[in-house]
């Protein structure tokens, strides 16, 4: 380990790659400016890259200024927004203060603009995101004061992040004249020898900022107008050879409006003009108004023509009753909501009432492998996990007496949530492998402990949180105040258990329900009861999903996608009687351990409902644009695998009962032919190297692997006596061996090699970590696979002949896609950019090494069921929606026990 870098007071020292600053390992230098030098660094505790900004000596040596900056840094650290790079903290090491910030990948808006003006709609989308970021900051009393294209990043997936709030002013009031050193342009104050940086910063200062006068949020609105003008025109609104020239133009000259493209909407021209009013009193008052105007234009809710007359219809007088109608509808809706809430209060009414809750505007529910909703114990709130267009999950809170939900700040990356018994806190698993909690009333989230891949939790009145930190592993407990987790119950590998998931405390707060995952296809999922006090667990029922307890004595679970209720004695820990169906189809129809249900102690039940959208096969270019494709019929398709000659593909499909089968797609004629029967539950097909055979798994008959010939339909069956879950992953180039994954109760997912001549299989990757999704290079030398040995699923490569030597490909999460046909490039996905396929060249030599990764292809967000790269490497075969997405809803049932009486 390199020694830490020591600083001499008053002396600025550059950090070298590989050196350490406190707990952080320096990776590379990103740049420098008036606010100090910026470095990419590695945070070993959370396993992520961060940006470190060393503060100038002027701050470190001035106690008053440093104290003021620390106060503002604490305010900025509380600012959470999808379009703002997060400030993690202000730290000190070796006598030097530095900021720790989110490291944002991509290019700055200045770099993008250097290639020319942005298309009008692209510029408006970026501007809407920047305005949303400023709006969030202004609402928190924060003024940026240095907004410019260089402080706006566009990620490879198209997300927009505003950076460098390090110069921001906290508090709603204007700064004083004594604060001019902080309120002025940072590069103007500290980097007077760097003309390019000076011009780039000075050009975006408002007139009051250029004069050194007090500033408020209106200075950001001016800078926003400058940025939008520059994106559209490709030129700075106020340019000059010297700072004096620029300031003179800012104070006296109007921008050249003729350079804006002719396609610029008239409303946008008016908006920029209002932002660039030199008199702050006449300037646009609120950046939120700019955001709404631009979002309406982008969404097509108002005319996007360049004519000012497009706004005329809005001024036409309407009859009085029409003007009053919207207000009347709002009042009627509020009254109806109040009436329903009052009628459905505990103890009122005898009939159940159902209603649907749609996803928040612009969001999608995270209906994946687990429940994404949770009713508060007091029945007054519904927590929903939803994701935005960039795939970022957040928790939304919808009160039962409210019309719209609100986002819970600080919950970015949330996957599964659960409530505290008093309904005041929500615990959740975060994307950076943390179990966290956050107060519903607001405040910063608090980290409780580290996890790997959380699979459910529960919280009792004694302040004990019981949770599953792994996708297949033991149950742990931790204090609700945080600390070191301790094992409560481990899987019984001797009896085939591979994982314990989704615990749920019973009323005594000591016993709990949990899901037991089987290790093979002969065992059904089991719902068990364990205890914090130890003792042998007890099997309660064999169910398709997990289960939860509902007062005054019911066990709720899902069967064939239908919510069910069955009598349960929480003291004797026994079920009795027949189960009763409670409603229509829920989402859960396979055993992942979740119940897909949530219930309160006040008679409120909620479950997710989802009508899958039919899909189709389509060709895409490497930028994600659809190409002319054969007219394949729509269906329910998954994971296409293209043949070696590129003219056919194997596709997994499913019928209405979710029985899977393998189909052959003729990519030239658009014809689909079924190859296996649905009752065999076949899937995971893999081509032989010569394209004459394929291997698949058939789960209906003890998880056997079958190799089928496409020439005569003959087949050979392998591993039929091994009931463990398994799936084919690929062939060796000579076609003699098959790589397959196998789930072992003791060692989790492993990779094995199966001789197809009848020999005994041998382990290839066999440790206590999950090793899966192996892809053998076409030349047979290298095996790429995924492993969670580090705590996060990463991509690794090993030599096929000696798999003990591992090379790690990704950091922060990743997945294998494929190799190119010449074995010279590996294609994979990083968790940091999940919709972007990356490629890296294999470096020549005896040991495996990769060159710098670069973008191979971009996938549109609609591609959710898989895609494959054709042998030419020029296009992708993807699964796309065959029709518009249907509304996603959550069904809420008030007074759900009345359903039992009705049934």
């Amino acid at each position: 380990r390199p020694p830490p870098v020591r600083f001499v007071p008053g002396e600025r020292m550059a950090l070298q790659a590989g050196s350490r600053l406190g707990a952080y390992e320096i990776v590379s230098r990103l740049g420098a400016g008036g606010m100090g030098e910026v470095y990419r660094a590695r945070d070993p505790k959370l396993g992520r890259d961060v940006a470190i900004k060393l503060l100038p000596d002027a701050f470190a040596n001035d106690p008053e200024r440093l104290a003021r900056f620390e106060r503002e840094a604490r305010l900025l650290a509380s600012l959470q927004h999808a379009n703002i790079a997060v400030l993690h903290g202000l730290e000190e090491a070796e006598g030097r203060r530095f900021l720790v910030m989110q490291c944002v990948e991509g290019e700055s808006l200045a770099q993008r603009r250097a290639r020319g003006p942005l298309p009008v709609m692209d510029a408006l989308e970026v501007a809407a995101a920047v305005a949303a970021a400023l709006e969030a900051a202004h609402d928190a009393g924060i003024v940026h004061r240095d907004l410019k294209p260089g402080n706006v990043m566009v990620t490879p997936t198209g997300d927009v992040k505003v950076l460098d709030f390090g110069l921001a002013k906290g508090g709603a009031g204007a700064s004083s004249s004594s604060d001019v050193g902080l309120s002025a342009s940072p590069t103007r104050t500290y980097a007077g020898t760097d003309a390019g940086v000076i011009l780039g910063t000075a050009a975006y200062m408002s007139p009051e900022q250029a004069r050194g006068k007090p500033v408020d949020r209106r200075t950001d609105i001016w800078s926003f107008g400058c940025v939008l003008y520059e994106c559209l025109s490709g030129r700075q609104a106020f340019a000059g050879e010297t700072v004096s020239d620029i300031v003179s133009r800012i104070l006296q000259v109007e921008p050249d409006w003729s350079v804006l493209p002719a396609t610029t909407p008239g409303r946008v021209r008016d908006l920029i003009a209002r932002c660039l009013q030199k008199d702050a009193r006449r300037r646009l008052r609120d950046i939120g108004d700019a955001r709404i105007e631009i979002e309406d234009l982008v969404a097509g809710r108002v005319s996007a023509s360049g004519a000012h007359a497009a706004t005329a219809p809005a001024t036409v007088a309407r009859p009085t009753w029409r003007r009053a109608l919207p207000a009347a509808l709002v009042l009627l809706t509020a009254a109806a909501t109040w009436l329903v809430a009052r009628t459905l209060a505990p103890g009122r009414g005898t009939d159940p009432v159902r209603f649907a809750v749609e996803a928040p505007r612009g969001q999608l529910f995270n209906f994946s492998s687990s429940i994404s909703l949770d009713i508060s114990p007091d029945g007054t709130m519904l927590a929903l996990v939803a994701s935005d267009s960039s795939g970022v999950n957040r928790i939304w809170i919808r009160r039962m007496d409210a019309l719209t939900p609100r986002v819970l700040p600080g919950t970015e990356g949330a996957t599964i949530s659960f409530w505290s018994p008093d309904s005041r806190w929500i615990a959740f698993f975060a994307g950076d492998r943390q179990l966290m909690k956050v107060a519903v009333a607001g405040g910063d989230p608090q980290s409780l402990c580290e996890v790997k891949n959380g699979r459910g939790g529960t919280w009792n009145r004694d302040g004990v949180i019981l949770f599953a930190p792994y996708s297949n592993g033991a149950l742990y407990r931790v204090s609700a105040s945080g600390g070191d987790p301790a094992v409560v119950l481990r899987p019984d590998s001797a009896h085939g258990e591979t994982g314990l998931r989704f615990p749920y405390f019973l009323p005594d707060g000591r016993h709990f329900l949990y899901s037991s995952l089987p290790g093979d296809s002969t065992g059904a999922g089991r719902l068990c009861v364990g205890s914090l006090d130890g003792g042998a667990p007890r099997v309660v029922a064999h169910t398709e999903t997990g289960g939860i307890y509902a007062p005054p004595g019911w066990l709720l679970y899902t069967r064939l996608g239908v919510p069910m209720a069955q009598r349960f004695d929480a003291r004797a820990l026994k079920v009795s009687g027949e189960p009763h169906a409670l409603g229509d189809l829920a989402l859960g129809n396979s055993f992942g351990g979740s119940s897909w249900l949530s219930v309160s102690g006040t008679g409120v039940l909620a479950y997710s409902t989802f009508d899958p959208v039919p899909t189709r096969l389509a060709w895409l270019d490497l930028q994600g644009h659809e190409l002319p494709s054969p007219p394949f019929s729509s269906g329910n398709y998954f994971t296409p695998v293209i043949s070696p000659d590129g003219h056919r593909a194997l596709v997994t499909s499913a019928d209405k009962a979710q029985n899977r089968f393998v189909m052959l797609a003729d990519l030239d004629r658009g014809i689909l032919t079924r190859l296996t029967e649905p009752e065999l539950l076949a899937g995971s097909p893999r081509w032989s190297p010569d394209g004459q055979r394929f291997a698949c798994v058939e789960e209906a008959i003890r998880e056997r692997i079958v190799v089928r010939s496409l020439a005569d339909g003959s087949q050979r069956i392998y591993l039929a006596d091994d009931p463990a879950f398994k799936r084919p992953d690929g062939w060796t180039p000579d076609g003699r061996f098959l790589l397959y994954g196998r789930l072992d109760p003791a060692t989790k997912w492993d990779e094995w090699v199966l001789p197809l001549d009848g020999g005994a299989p041998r382990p290839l990757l066999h440790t206590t970590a999950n090793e899966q999704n192996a892809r053998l290079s076409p030349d047979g030398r290298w095996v790429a696979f995924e492993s969670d040995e580090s705590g996060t699923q990463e991509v690794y490569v090993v030599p096929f002949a000696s798999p003990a030597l591992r090379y790690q490909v990704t950091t922060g999460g990743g997945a294998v896609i494929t190799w190119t046909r010449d074995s010279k490039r590996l294609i994979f996905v990083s968790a940091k950019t999940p919709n972007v396929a990356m490629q890296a060249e294999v470096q020549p030599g005896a040991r495996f090494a990769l060159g710098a990764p670069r973008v191979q292809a971009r996938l549109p967000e609609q591609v959710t069921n898989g895609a494959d790269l054709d042998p030419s490497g020029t296009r992708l075969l993807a699964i796309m929606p065959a029709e518009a997405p249907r509304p996603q809803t959550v069904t809420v049932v008030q007074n759900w026990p009345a359903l039992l009486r009705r049934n």
Side-chain angles (χ1 to χ4, degrees):
R1 172 181 295 182
V5 175
R6 296 190 176 275
F7 292 96
V8 177
E11 179 182 349
R12 183 184 297 273
M13 296 181 63
L15 300 179
Q16 302 299 320
S19 63
R20 302 185 71 87
L21 179 62
Y24 303 96
E25 181 178 348
I26 303 300
V27 177
S28 62
R29 186 174 183 267
L30 297 178
M35 284 300 297
E37 297 175 335
V38 184
Y39 296 85
R40 178 193 291 270
R42 186 69 176 167
D43 181 349
K45 183 176 181 181
L46 298 180
R48 64 183 178 186
D49 282 357
V50 297
I52 284 181
K53 176 178 285 189
L54 295 176
L55 297 184
D57 294 332
F59 277 84
N61 298 328
D62 186 338
E64 180 180 355
R65 177 177 287 179
L66 183 59
R68 183 166 64 249
F69 191 87
E70 288 178 348
R71 289 194 299 271
E72 295 174 1
R74 283 193 292 270
L75 181 62
L76 290 166
S78 66
L79 186 58
Q80 301 286 335
H81 191 271
N83 298 117
I84 296 177
V86 177
L87 174 63
H88 297 307
L90 175 62
E91 301 187 19
E92 181 176 5
E94 305 298 329
R96 197 67 184 269
R97 294 293 181 97
F98 56 94
L99 295 168
V100 182
M101 302 171 293
Q102 177 185 5
C103 187
V104 182
E105 306 289 346
E107 64 176 353
S108 71
L109 192 56
Q111 293 170 317
R112 169 61 186 87
R113 206 279 296 161
R115 300 198 299 271
L118 277 68
V120 171
M121 292 309 295
D122 289 355
L124 293 181
E125 290 178 353
V126 170
V130 173
L134 292 177
E135 182 181 14
H138 292 176
D139 288 347
I142 298 171
V143 183
H144 190 288
R145 300 196 296 187
D146 193 31
L147 180 68
K148 56 187 178 182
N151 282 339
V152 178
M153 292 290 290
V154 181
T155 71
T157 58
D159 293 336
V160 177
K161 297 278 189 180
V162 178
L163 313 179
D164 211 351
F165 276 83
L167 209 58
K169 173 64 181 177
S175 57
S176 67
S177 59
S178 63
D179 198 27
V180 66
L182 287 179
S183 64
S185 164
T187 44
R188 176 184 167 203
T189 304
Y190 296 113
T193 60
D194 191 342
V197 176
I198 292 175
L199 298 182
T201 298
Y204 308 95
M205 291 191 297
S206 64
E208 59 269 27
Q209 193 175 12
R211 290 188 174 104
K213 291 186 176 181
V215 299
D216 56 24
R217 62 178 63 185
R218 289 173 296 181
T219 198
D220 285 348
I221 294 175
W222 171 281
S223 302
F224 171 80
C226 293
V227 171
L228 180 52
Y229 177 98
E230 185 171 330
C231 288
L232 291 168
S233 67
R235 303 181 184 181
Q236 290 180 347
F238 305 97
E241 296 182 0
T242 67
V243 174
S244 299
D245 293 338
I246 294 173
V247 171
S248 176
R249 290 179 177 273
I250 289 173
L251 298 177
Q252 302 177 24
V253 179
E254 287 295 314
D256 182 358
W257 302 108
S258 66
V259 300
L260 289 174
T263 55
T264 304
R267 289 178 176 270
V268 175
R269 293 174 180 268
D270 291 344
L271 175 64
I272 298 175
R274 291 188 64 194
C275 292
L276 297 182
Q277 285 288 333
K278 299 185 188 300
D279 185 347
R281 295 171 298 177
R282 300 182 57 83
R283 199 174 301 155
L284 185 71
R285 306 293 295 181
D286 196 315
I287 194 66
D289 293 338
R291 175 188 59 79
I292 293 172
E293 183 80 9
I294 295 172
E295 287 180 349
D296 284 348
L297 279 168
V298 172
R301 287 188 287 269
V302 297
S303 172
S305 70
H308 293 271
T311 63
T315 64
V316 176
R318 295 181 294 174
T320 304
W321 68 269
R322 290 190 178 181
R323 292 199 301 269
L325 182 59
L329 290 175
V330 170
L331 290 175
L332 286 174
T333 303
T337 302
W338 174 85
L339 181 60
V340 169
R342 181 173 176 83
T343 301
L344 298 178
R348 290 182 178 266
T350 58
D351 293 329
V353 175
R354 301 173 188 262
F355 60 91
V357 175
E358 292 189 358
R361 182 180 176 184
Q363 307 286 313
L364 293 175
F365 286 137
N366 185 23
F367 292 155
S368 54
S369 61
S370 61
I371 195 169
S372 58
L373 59 96
D374 202 16
I375 288 283
S376 62
D378 62 10
T380 64
M381 293 173 283
L382 181 64
L384 305 163
V385 176
S387 59
D388 59 20
S389 60
S390 61
V392 177
N393 291 345
R394 293 176 180 83
I395 298 176
W396 294 72
I397 303 296
R398 185 191 189 277
R399 294 191 61 86
M400 293 302 175
D401 58 357
L403 296 176
T404 57
R406 64 177 177 88
V407 71
L408 201 55
T411 58
E412 288 78 9
T415 54
I416 301 169
S417 64
F418 52 97
W419 289 86
S420 64
D422 59 7
S423 301
R424 296 173 57 192
W425 294 82
I426 287 182
F428 62 96
F429 298 101
D432 55 358
R433 297 185 290 119
Q434 295 284 308
L435 174 61
M436 309 189 76
K437 70 174 184 180
V438 63
V440 179
D444 294 337
Q446 303 174 27
S447 177
L448 302 179
C449 64
E450 293 187 5
V451 297
K452 287 191 176 182
N453 192 2
R455 285 295 183 269
T458 184
W459 190 333
N460 72 8
R461 296 188 180 278
D462 296 327
V464 174
I465 291 179
L466 183 68
F467 66 103
Y470 309 99
S471 58
N472 45 11
L475 295 177
Y476 286 69
R477 63 179 290 174
V478 70
S479 169
S481 300
D484 295 326
V487 175
V488 173
L489 188 63
R490 297 184 184 277
D492 185 355
S493 59
H495 289 82
E497 283 186 332
T498 57
L500 311 180
R501 296 182 177 183
F502 294 95
Y504 195 94
F505 273 121
L506 293 175
D508 65 1
R510 307 302 296 175
H511 290 87
F512 52 88
L513 297 166
Y514 68 92
S515 298
S516 167
L517 270 64
D520 58 58
S521 59
T522 62
R526 301 186 303 173
L527 185 60
C528 304
V529 173
S531 174
L532 294 178
D533 303 320
R538 175 184 298 185
V539 178
V540 173
H542 291 83
T543 61
E544 296 175 5
T545 65
I548 59 177
Y549 175 81
W554 293 93
L555 183 66
L556 304 184
Y557 55 91
T558 303
R559 174 178 294 174
L560 295 177
V562 178
M564 309 293 291
Q566 190 169 6
R567 281 288 183 187
F568 179 72
D569 188 330
R571 292 186 177 181
L573 306 178
K574 292 181 180 180
V575 296
S576 61
E578 294 296 321
H580 302 271
L582 297 180
D584 48 11
L585 291 178
L587 177 63
N589 56 10
S590 62
F591 191 84
S594 171
S595 66
W596 303 93
L597 305 166
S598 181
V599 70
S600 74
T602 59
V604 183
L605 171 69
Y607 54 92
S608 54
T609 49
F610 181 60
D611 188 10
V613 175
T615 55
R616 60 186 173 87
L617 292 169
W619 285 112
L620 306 177
D621 64 20
L622 298 186
Q623 298 303 314
H625 303 127
E626 191 161 346
L627 301 171
S629 303
F632 288 108
S633 59
S634 61
N636 190 9
Y637 304 127
F638 308 90
T639 57
V641 184
I642 300 177
S643 63
D645 62 10
H647 295 287
R648 297 164 297 163
L650 295 169
V651 182
T652 302
S653 186
D655 58 20
K656 292 183 178 180
Q658 297 302 309
N659 298 316
R660 298 189 311 279
F661 49 93
V662 177
M663 303 192 76
L664 179 68
D666 186 325
L667 301 179
D668 298 324
R669 298 187 298 159
I671 297 176
L672 286 161
T673 305
R674 192 177 66 193
L675 299 179
T676 65
E677 296 302 317
E679 57 267 22
L680 294 176
L681 302 180
S684 302
R686 289 289 178 265
W687 286 100
S688 64
D690 59 7
Q692 301 301 311
R693 297 174 294 167
F694 73 94
C696 66
V697 62
E698 294 178 353
E699 297 180 11
I701 308 178
R702 297 177 65 84
E703 287 283 329
R704 67 187 189 182
I705 288 181
V706 179
V707 174
R708 295 177 179 265
S709 170
L710 290 173
D712 56 15
S714 61
Q715 65 178 29
R716 292 191 63 178
I717 298 172
Y718 297 89
L719 305 175
D721 295 330
D722 178 8
F725 289 116
K726 58 183 74 73
R727 58 185 172 225
D729 283 334
W731 301 62
T732 55
D734 57 12
R736 297 174 53 208
F737 299 91
L738 188 70
L739 272 65
Y740 70 98
R742 180 182 184 276
L743 181 61
D744 188 290
T747 58
K748 306 175 185 175
W749 279 102
D750 302 314
E751 288 290 335
W752 288 69
V753 178
L754 172 67
L756 298 181
D757 60 3
R762 62 177 176 85
L764 177 69
L765 301 166
H766 189 262
T767 71
T768 57
N770 284 295
E771 293 107 353
Q772 54 189 332
N773 299 327
R775 298 291 182 265
L776 184 64
S777 61
D779 61 8
R781 293 188 62 192
W782 312 107
V783 179
F785 64 98
E786 298 158 16
S787 172
D788 62 359
E789 65 177 26
S790 67
T792 301
Q793 178 179 289
E794 304 285 5
V795 177
Y796 296 83
V797 174
V798 297
F800 181 61
S802 56
L805 303 174
R806 297 193 175 192
Y807 177 92
Q808 184 170 342
V809 176
T810 62
T811 58
V816 178
I817 297 183
T818 189
W819 298 84
T820 54
R821 294 186 70 181
D822 57 9
S823 300
K824 292 184 178 180
R825 293 186 297 278
L826 175 64
I827 302 175
F828 57 92
V829 171
S830 168
K832 301 174 183 177
T833 52
N835 289 339
V836 179
M838 309 297 293
Q839 66 160 294
E841 293 191 7
V842 179
Q843 303 297 299
R847 298 188 63 181
F848 185 83
L850 284 176
R854 59 187 181 89
V855 173
Q856 165 73 20
R858 301 180 187 274
L859 298 177
E861 297 169 7
Q862 299 93 323
V863 178
T864 57
N865 290 353
D868 193 23
L869 186 69
D870 85 331
S872 69
T874 59
R875 59 180 182 169
L876 296 153
L877 183 65
I879 307 297
M880 301 285 286
E883 57 187 61
R886 297 161 185 165
Q888 293 183 312
T889 62
V890 167
T891 297
V892 178
V893 183
Q894 298 275 13
N895 194 22
W896 75 264
L899 293 171
L900 302 173
R901 293 191 296 272
R902 174 179 293 181
N903 292 338

